[in-house]
Amino acid sequence: MARVVDGDGFAVSLWAATAPAGPELPALEGAIEADVAIVGAGFSGLSTALHLAEAAPGLAIALLEAEEPGFGASGRNNGQVIPTLTRPDPDDLVARLGPERGERFVALVRDSAAFTFALIRRLAIACDAVQAGWIQPAHSPERFERVSRRRFEQWARRGAEVELLEPKRLAERLGSAAWCGGWAARTGGHLNPLAFARGLARAVVARGIRLFARSPVTGLERQGGRWRLETPRGRVEARRVLLATAAYSGPATGALARSFVPFRPWMLASEPLGDNVRRTVVPGGEAVSDTRADLRFLRWTADGRLVSGGALALPLAERARLERRVGAVLGEAFPPLRGLRFDFAWSGAIALTPDRHPHLLRLGPELYAWIGCNGRGVALAIALGPHLAALLAGEDERALPLPLEAPAPVPLSGLAAALGRLALPYYRWLDSRP
Ligand SMILES: Cc1cc2nc3c(=O)[nH]c(=O)nc-3n(C[C@H](O)[C@H](O)[C@H](O)COP(=O)(O)OP(=O)(O)OC[C@H]3O[C@@H](n4cnc5c(N)ncnc54)[C@H](O)[C@@H]3O)c2cc1C
């Protein structure tokens, strides 16, 4: 079977070079039956499968992955474990979802990083998990007053372990005066995401779930009250299906593939740096991502590299241009990083929704998906797992932390995907304003 061509992606990442091997997995051959089929073995599919197997041990679960576990965004991201969404704040979520469900979803997001690290400890997954906290520095004094204070206040009111960092305190925490104060969530941190995905895959297999690699679902049809999923050499018949394909959703996923805009940022991993630099640049080892729409972010790895990245409006000589740009940004913010060299560069796809909210979708009878990580889905995908599992176990959907919605196609989604990156200059203009 032809493998997905993904030259700047999965195989060339730092994570692919450093994560322990995943479990040996078969491709699907022939026809099988299952109670539940899950498509996509990223954090969403793996966490859902794991929690479903634990909650309903007798259930027959098949998990189908086009390539290998972690092949999508889950194995390529920056590894920041962040207990907030990108844009909507707690009060926005409550305004949209109503007081009861809204507060339940806010609590899920608040606890998502702690839940993720607890899962890693419970399953003893070796993935360089560091729960040192997550910091969001503000890129202007106005954003500190307007954004950081608001977020800190809204999360503190809901019992989150957060702190407000006045400019002087933030500069000490970062080892840089390039930002203007910020706030931090103590339960956040970072990890090697591919090592985590592979560890989850091992745990899933150990619980008796049939996990197939190199088995892309090419067709999905309803027949006789059940779903039939076709792969190049096999077929699954299942009562309930979850599409956990996120930004990698293709034509076989129907309306799901038109319900988001894919966005492809790059990750850059530096050469290993000495302890002298490590002691001065974010010495506490927190994960950092700032308030810009054209995000600036960084985190350390276990072997002393900084992993940062970004995106460019024009897809020309991206790696070289991005290395110059990110190198200059980091060198300006942290003088010890001037002249930084990068050993690894790779990209991956994120699913953006027009309203920047995550959505839980009903795509047909007993056919579900969630979409819209909007760049912040490590902890969220893991924490949604038990709730998606409850849905697939047939529990009352009123208990879900998000309502089940019909998919809303993004107008001209193909064009938006092609042109989405052209919005970057506009984002930079927004970032330059108070
Ligand atoms: C470059 C980058 C950096 C990011 N950084 C962060 C970060 O630091 N912190 C954070 O919180 N979030 C981050 N994110 C977002 C985060 O990685 C995602 O939200 C999360 O991994 C989504 O997990 P998922 O399981 O829903 O989807 P994915 O991990 O994308 O998994 C989807 C899977 O479905 C499979 N698939 C697709 N079609 C089929 C098919 N037809 N048949 C079978 N399988 C199929 C794919 O191969 C893939 O493995 C980042 C994302 C990217 C791309």
Side-chain angles (χ1 to χ4, degrees):
M1 190 188 85
R3 304 294 303 266
V4 170
V5 178
D6 184 40
D8 297 323
F10 180 74
V12 296
S13 77
L14 168 68
W15 313 130
T18 55
E24 289 286 320
L25 296 169
L28 178 64
E29 307 267 346
I32 64 166
E33 302 242 327
D35 298 307
V36 170
I38 299 174
V39 185
F43 293 146
S44 300
L46 291 163
S47 176
T48 303
L50 179 90
H51 289 100
L52 184 56
E54 290 182 345
L59 221 58
I61 307 166
L63 176 48
L64 300 167
E65 164 55 46
E67 290 285 321
E68 63 169 281
F71 177 81
S74 297
R76 310 170 187 229
N77 60 61
N78 198 253
Q80 298 204 10
V81 185
I82 305 174
T84 72
L85 302 184
T86 316
R87 198 177 294 168
D89 290 327
D91 288 357
D92 304 324
L93 293 168
V94 171
R96 190 174 99 78
L97 299 169
E100 200 274 324
R101 189 173 244 156
E103 291 297 349
R104 268 195 289 132
F105 185 60
V106 167
L108 181 149
V109 176
R110 177 196 65 202
D111 299 338
S112 59
F115 181 80
T116 302
F117 285 110
L119 183 67
I120 290 167
R121 285 192 294 271
R122 173 162 78 86
L123 301 176
I125 296 178
C127 59
D128 298 327
V130 179
Q131 196 172 9
W134 171 74
I135 299 179
Q136 184 175 47
H139 66 275
S140 69
E142 293 79 10
R143 300 293 168 118
F144 175 62
E145 293 303 333
R146 203 156 41 85
V147 178
S148 311
R149 282 191 194 281
R150 182 186 74 220
R151 291 196 171 142
F152 164 74
E153 186 277 319
Q154 289 189 18
W155 283 113
R157 189 157 29 94
R158 289 169 170 98
E161 290 182 48
V162 289
E163 55 187 315
L164 188 69
L165 300 168
E166 298 288 344
K168 185 166 170 296
R169 182 80 190 103
L170 178 82
E172 287 164 6
R173 290 278 285 271
L174 296 184
S176 169
W179 285 273
C180 311
W183 71 286
R186 290 197 194 95
T187 56
H190 50 82
L191 43 70
N192 177 328
L194 183 59
F196 182 31
R198 287 177 172 171
L200 284 172
R202 281 191 186 284
V204 155
V205 171
R207 278 156 186 75
I209 293 164
R210 288 169 295 171
L211 169 49
F212 300 99
R214 304 171 303 286
S215 302
V217 171
T218 52
L220 178 63
E221 262 182 45
R222 186 102 178 131
Q223 285 193 352
R226 288 169 73 78
W227 288 101
R228 177 184 275 210
L229 297 89
E230 298 284 350
T231 68
R233 294 212 192 115
R235 179 198 316 147
V236 181
E237 283 198 9
R239 173 169 173 197
R240 298 195 175 110
V241 176
L242 175 73
L243 299 180
T245 46
Y248 291 80
S249 302
T253 65
L256 176 61
R258 297 185 295 278
S259 66
F260 65 93
V261 177
F263 177 66
R264 289 193 153 264
W266 282 71
M267 299 289 107
L268 295 174
S270 76
E271 60 193 330
L273 299 164
D275 280 351
N276 51 336
V277 181
R278 233 175 144 157
R279 276 195 295 271
T280 56
V281 176
V282 196
E286 295 92 338
V288 179
S289 23
D290 78 1
T291 44
R292 287 178 171 85
D294 182 22
L295 195 65
R296 295 188 182 175
F297 53 92
L298 69 155
R299 42 88 32 115
W300 285 106
T301 63
D303 61 349
R305 300 173 191 272
L306 273 173
V307 191
S308 184
L312 292 170
L314 293 176
L316 298 170
E318 277 179 298
R319 177 171 181 170
R321 286 168 56 222
L322 210 73
E323 286 189 5
R324 279 198 298 278
R325 184 185 172 87
V326 173
V329 162
L330 291 177
E332 204 177 298
F334 302 96
L337 296 181
R338 285 194 184 134
L340 190 66
R341 285 193 297 267
F342 295 100
D343 286 346
F344 295 88
W346 68 98
S347 74
I350 284 172
L352 301 180
T353 45
D355 63 2
R356 297 292 190 271
H357 281 258
H359 294 273
L360 201 50
L361 304 179
R362 189 202 310 274
L363 298 158
E366 305 192 281
L367 174 64
Y368 309 105
W370 84 272
I371 199 71
C373 80
N374 292 291
R376 208 160 279 176
V378 172
L380 180 62
I382 295 295
L384 278 174
H387 301 278
L388 296 168
L391 177 66
L392 294 170
E395 284 181 24
D396 189 340
E397 60 188 63
R398 281 173 300 188
L400 290 168
L402 289 171
L404 276 171
E405 301 171 61
V410 177
L412 303 174
S413 61
L415 192 65
L419 300 181
R421 55 167 70 216
L422 294 180
L424 272 170
Y426 169 66
Y427 288 150
R428 287 180 194 138
W429 175 76
L430 283 183
D431 291 340
S432 69
R433 292 166 56 84

